[in-house]
Amino acid sequence: MEKKNNRLSAALGITFVWFTTQFGGGFASGAQLKSYFINYGIWCLITCIIAQAINAFYNGYTVYYCKKHNTYNYRDFCDGIYGKFAPVFSNLYEIIYIVVLLVVPAVAYATGGSTLSTLLGIPYMLCTLIIGVFIFVVSIYGTAIVRKTATALSVMIVVGLLVVFIPNILAQWDSVRSNIGALSAKPAPIGPALFSMFLYATSQSTPPVAILSQHASVLEDKKDSAFTFVIGFLVNSAMIFISVLGLLAIVDLPEYAESSLPILVLVQNGVGGSILTPIISILIILGSVSTAVNMVSAGTIRVCSALDKDFDPDGKPTKKVVIVTLILCVVGFGVAQFGLLPLVNKGYGLLGYMAIPVIIIPFLIHFLLRKRIDP
């Protein structure tokens, strides 16, 4: 019984790390869902789930390989999985991850800071500083704390999403059903919908390589990776489907077409707007911060592991950990102050394209040939 409990606990911990990695400000605001799925018509009800299946496969294989070979930082993992091509592909991934480390924390500061400023009415720079301090403190205390924080944040985010979406889906069910019928009647070529879905999945495949590799050690056996990512697929699929379904209540409204925060349009046109608006604001902040914590922590572990072969990611924060984490947080803070959010958002699409030759194709080849090259 204890072994089963440990297995489930490890699976849920990794699931919530994946969830908080995916659930950033773009997801929380509904902007990502609108851009990658809903804009392509009725297929959004299926493509949002297929994207989770793609990521579950890649995430699961990453964790499986890391546990099998005891490689718990992403450089060791990349050197192993790329084999003789590691001098090229491992360094290409390093370049991609440097871009990610600039993009994700900057998004957290910019979206979280502006949302907190609107919610509390205090200066934007002070808000970004508050968020930066939180990210810094959590990130320096190792992977175990990150998992616990991810679990706590995930529970709050999941509960918050359900509180927002379920009442609005029920109250606006006639609109949801009507808009689903209208979308079904409109021409919706499947090709563009599948390509957008694929690009979303590839852009989401880059951070987990670095993040989930450090958490694979909590599994008792490499075979537990399959169980872990079945759980992860179910949780992430349920949340993204509910979110997409909720937004379908408002796709016919003029405000939806013009809004970069469609979830606020849903709340303002649904039930409990005065109560749910601050809840949505908090969700956007939590989503941004949780993703940034995962990324900064992974970056710290990568750098500190390179500097010290005996580095323990779950140990007490050392001077090196504090300095490296502080540098990463300050860089993200600095980028956000330049107002680069629109450029940063375009960066996610670029990351999606870059991931295809560096992650998507090589990992698939390795999986198909694993019995021959990695018995």
Side-chain angles (χ1 to χ4, degrees):
M1 180 62 72
E2 183 179 352
K3 186 175 181 179
K4 289 183 178 180
N5 289 337
N6 290 339
R7 185 187 187 209
L8 180 59
S9 176
L12 289 174
I14 292 177
T15 289
F16 287 137
V17 169
W18 173 22
F19 179 72
T20 55
T21 301
Q22 178 176 203
F23 187 89
F27 192 126
S29 66
Q32 252 183 341
L33 304 182
K34 175 182 177 181
S35 176
Y36 283 97
F37 301 110
I38 299 176
N39 283 351
Y40 294 89
I42 193 63
W43 298 112
C44 66
L45 294 173
I46 301 173
T47 54
C48 68
I49 296 176
I50 298 176
Q52 303 310 302
I54 293 173
N55 286 135
F57 166 74
Y58 282 95
N59 294 347
Y61 194 55
T62 296
V63 170
Y64 172 87
Y65 185 93
C66 289
K67 184 64 182 179
K68 180 178 179 179
H69 295 280
N70 295 315
T71 55
Y72 301 129
N73 74 71
Y74 69 82
R75 181 65 193 213
D76 290 341
F77 163 73
C78 288
D79 287 345
I81 203 164
Y82 291 131
K84 63 182 180 181
F85 300 104
V88 175
F89 283 93
S90 290
N91 289 321
L92 285 175
Y93 183 80
E94 293 278 15
I95 293 171
I96 294 176
Y97 195 66
I98 289 171
V99 176
V100 171
L101 283 174
L102 292 174
V103 168
V104 177
V107 169
Y109 286 114
T111 58
S114 59
T115 305
L116 186 61
S117 178
T118 301
L119 186 64
L120 301 180
I122 57 179
Y124 168 79
M125 184 172 287
L126 177 59
C127 292
T128 56
L129 183 60
I130 292 171
I131 289 174
V133 170
F134 179 81
I135 293 170
F136 171 75
V137 171
V138 175
S139 298
I140 65 174
Y141 280 97
T143 56
I145 295 298
V146 171
R147 277 193 301 275
K148 292 178 181 178
T149 303
T151 300
L153 290 176
S154 292
V155 170
M156 289 189 284
I157 290 169
V158 168
V159 171
L161 284 175
L162 294 177
V163 167
V164 170
F165 279 108
I166 298 301
N168 277 285
I169 289 173
L170 294 176
Q172 303 181 70
W173 180 246
D174 288 342
S175 296
V176 173
R177 187 172 57 182
S178 174
N179 288 333
I180 288 176
L183 288 176
S184 300
K186 290 181 180 179
I190 191 170
L194 290 176
F195 181 76
S196 180
M197 171 208 73
F198 180 68
L199 194 60
Y200 175 86
T202 58
S203 68
Q204 292 294 324
S205 71
T206 303
V209 170
I211 294 168
L212 295 177
S213 58
Q214 61 183 300
H215 296 284
S217 61
V218 301
L219 297 182
E220 293 187 359
D221 188 273
K222 61 182 182 293
K223 295 180 180 178
D224 289 343
S225 61
F227 172 76
T228 297
F229 284 94
V230 168
I231 299 293
F233 168 74
L234 293 175
V235 170
N236 282 272
S237 294
M239 296 314 302
I240 198 170
F241 182 80
I242 289 172
S243 300
V244 167
L245 192 65
L247 292 177
L248 288 181
I250 58 167
V251 292
D252 59 332
L253 299 180
E255 307 95 292
Y256 169 82
E258 300 172 359
S259 177
S260 60
L261 299 171
I263 195 169
L264 288 180
V265 178
L266 172 68
V267 171
Q268 291 164 358
N269 286 272
V271 295
S274 60
I275 298 175
L276 295 182
T277 297
I279 292 178
I280 287 300
S281 299
I282 293 171
L283 284 178
I284 293 173
I285 294 169
L286 291 179
S288 300
V289 167
S290 63
T291 303
V293 165
N294 290 337
M295 298 303 302
V296 170
S297 175
T300 296
I301 289 172
R302 169 68 185 97
V303 174
C304 290
S305 297
L307 297 174
D308 181 4
K309 293 183 179 180
D310 297 323
F311 172 71
D312 180 7
D314 285 331
K316 292 182 179 180
T318 63
K319 185 177 180 180
K320 290 178 183 177
V321 169
V322 172
I323 293 173
V324 172
T325 304
L326 181 61
I327 291 172
L328 293 176
C329 288
V330 169
V331 168
F333 178 84
V335 172
Q337 303 311 314
F338 282 99
L340 296 178
L341 188 57
L343 178 61
V344 164
N345 285 337
K346 292 180 181 179
Y348 279 108
L350 177 62
L351 285 172
Y353 286 109
M354 294 171 68
I356 295 172
V358 178
I359 297 174
I360 301 301
I361 295 175
F363 282 29
L364 182 60
I365 292 173
H366 192 283
F367 174 78
L368 295 174
L369 300 179
R370 66 191 183 282
K371 291 184 179 180
R372 182 184 308 172
I373 62 179
D374 187 33

